[in-house]
Amino acid sequence: MIRIAIQAKGRLNEQSSQLLIDADVEVKNPKRKLLVCAENFPAEILYLRDDDIPKAVAQGIADIGIVGMNEVAEKNADVQVRKDLGFGRCRISLAIPKEHVYTGVSYFEGKKIATSYPNILKKFFDEKGIKAKIIEIAGSVEIAPAAGMADGIFDIVSSGGTLVSNGLKEVESVMTSSAVLITTPGLSNEKEEIVKQLLFRFEAILRSVGQKYVLMNIPNAKIDEVISVLPSLKSPTLLPLAQEGWSSLHTVISEDQLWNMIEKLKSLGAEDILVLSLDKIIP
Ligand code: ATP
Ligand code: MG
């Protein structure tokens, strides 16, 4: 049995829960309790605030955690980062009032910066040889300059909309982050086996993200030409149709190439093109 810590509510909760469901680690009545046993996998799920996940995993209260890399870096917890899960992407940036002229990092010398990430910021300023006053606040960091508490902020940015609506502009991106899978160092062999099983399932799911399964009918005379333009996992699958002179071709195409590829395939004579979603890819 392993214990997996995920965010109880917030930006990472939904995708962390969905990843577990897709991996067939399902819980009944999630969120009614803080600790719930999975139905068909030897795991229990512990719902925590994201700030608490790195420490819980470092101390072995949970064996596995799903949390933003930003929290792992900030807490400097003794955990192993095993897998980038690709969701919850953001960056942590320095921002200043939009009317100020930014002159490079030396701008921050002697300034007061409000943040919920004092350790990451201190490391950045130390590396750059900048002496600034870091003011730690837990939330609503972006109002600190307008409220007269600080000259700038260091906070999470994804679209930048929050900064703009608070009269700020992003001037330095210090780190990028996404959700990662972390484990307690030195897990028992038995637990490590379960972690490996879970990682195998997660990898199969993540590999299929952004990929589509595409089937089409093509005239046999066009097979070589069609295959030469197609991407595929190994090589496309080709099956004869009952109707003579035609074949059915199956392949995997990434979503960002899909429409371009469909136009090409149609111009080469492909018909009855079906695009299906893919759940898992196991090479
Ligand atoms: P908790 O109550 O669990 O402490 P929180 O308020 O600290 O939650 P959320 O806003 O739910 O945190 O964000 C959780 C994580 O989601 C962040 O630490 C970060 O890794 C990631 N994230 C991705 N995009 C954003 C964004 N635009 N703003 C904030 N966090 C983001
Ligand atoms: Mg938090």
Side-chain angles (χ1 to χ4, degrees):
M1 178 75 98
I2 50 163
R3 191 179 285 170
I4 308 170
I6 67 169
Q7 193 190 23
K9 38 180 187 291
R11 288 174 195 267
L12 299 179
N13 167 267
E14 200 175 311
Q15 278 169 291
S16 306
S17 306
Q18 190 58 50
L19 188 59
L20 290 171
I21 291 169
D22 292 342
D24 210 17
V25 184
E26 285 206 55
V27 296
K28 263 205 190 122
N29 299 328
K31 292 181 217 160
R32 292 262 170 84
K33 287 187 263 169
L34 284 178
L35 186 62
V36 191
C37 212
E39 309 237 303
N40 36 12
F41 193 82
E44 50 188 5
I45 318 292
L46 175 65
Y47 296 92
L48 293 178
R49 284 199 56 181
D50 70 343
D51 314 56
D52 296 331
I53 294 175
K55 201 166 151 201
V57 172
Q59 294 178 341
I61 294 163
D63 307 297
I64 299 186
I66 297 178
V67 68
M69 191 58 211
N70 52 321
E71 289 297 334
V72 178
E74 176 60 26
K75 299 296 182 308
N76 205 9
D78 181 19
V79 297
Q80 288 183 302
V81 177
R82 302 284 290 264
K83 179 90 198 151
D84 185 341
L85 302 172
F87 58 89
R89 281 191 195 287
C90 56
R91 52 192 189 275
I92 316 188
S93 297
L94 280 156
I96 61 171
K98 67 172 187 310
E99 59 280 3
H100 286 202
V101 178
Y102 185 61
T103 49
V105 275
S106 61
Y107 172 94
F108 292 102
E109 186 69 38
K111 296 273 198 304
K112 278 195 283 187
I113 312 298
T115 186
S116 311
Y117 297 96
N119 292 324
I120 298 173
L121 183 57
K122 181 173 185 311
K123 189 160 168 265
F124 175 75
F125 280 153
D126 285 351
E127 277 165 16
K128 301 282 179 193
I130 304 277
K131 289 200 174 53
K133 187 161 190 319
I134 298 174
I135 300 166
E136 185 176 355
I137 49 177
S140 306
V141 172
E142 61 283 352
I143 61 151
M149 290 164 69
D151 304 302
I153 66 162
F154 178 60
D155 202 9
I156 291 181
V157 182
S158 53
S159 69
T162 314
L163 291 184
V164 172
S165 56
N166 284 285
L168 299 169
K169 62 179 177 188
E170 182 180 2
V171 291
E172 293 283 342
S173 167
V174 172
M175 82 171 276
T176 56
S177 175
S178 53
V180 290
L181 186 131
I182 56 173
T183 57
T184 309
L187 287 178
S188 68
N189 289 345
E190 187 200 343
K191 285 184 174 180
E192 187 55 34
E193 278 312 306
I194 305 174
V195 170
K196 290 219 172 80
Q197 221 179 327
L198 198 62
L199 272 169
F200 178 83
R201 295 185 188 190
F202 283 179
E203 279 161 8
I205 295 159
L206 297 173
R207 238 178 253 121
S208 73
V209 171
Q211 303 287 337
K212 295 287 177 195
Y213 190 70
V214 181
L215 296 86
M216 72 207 83
N217 294 332
I218 53 170
N220 287 348
K222 295 284 186 177
I223 290 174
D224 288 346
E225 228 177 320
V226 168
I227 289 180
S228 73
V229 302
L230 275 183
S232 70
L233 288 179
K234 220 174 232 105
S235 102
T237 306
L238 202 57
L239 300 164
L241 287 191
Q243 184 184 343
E244 207 162 310
W246 283 79
S247 294
S248 166
L249 194 141
H250 303 202
T251 194
V252 174
I253 301 181
S254 82
E255 231 161 341
D256 50 5
Q257 297 180 41
L258 190 68
W259 290 110
N260 272 341
M261 197 52 77
I262 285 176
E263 277 163 32
K264 256 192 224 164
L265 293 168
K266 277 202 81 66
S267 72
L268 288 172
E271 292 181 8
D272 311 319
I273 302 172
L274 304 182
V275 179
L276 309 177
S277 50
L278 257 173
D279 289 345
K280 281 134 194 129
I281 299 179
I282 296 137

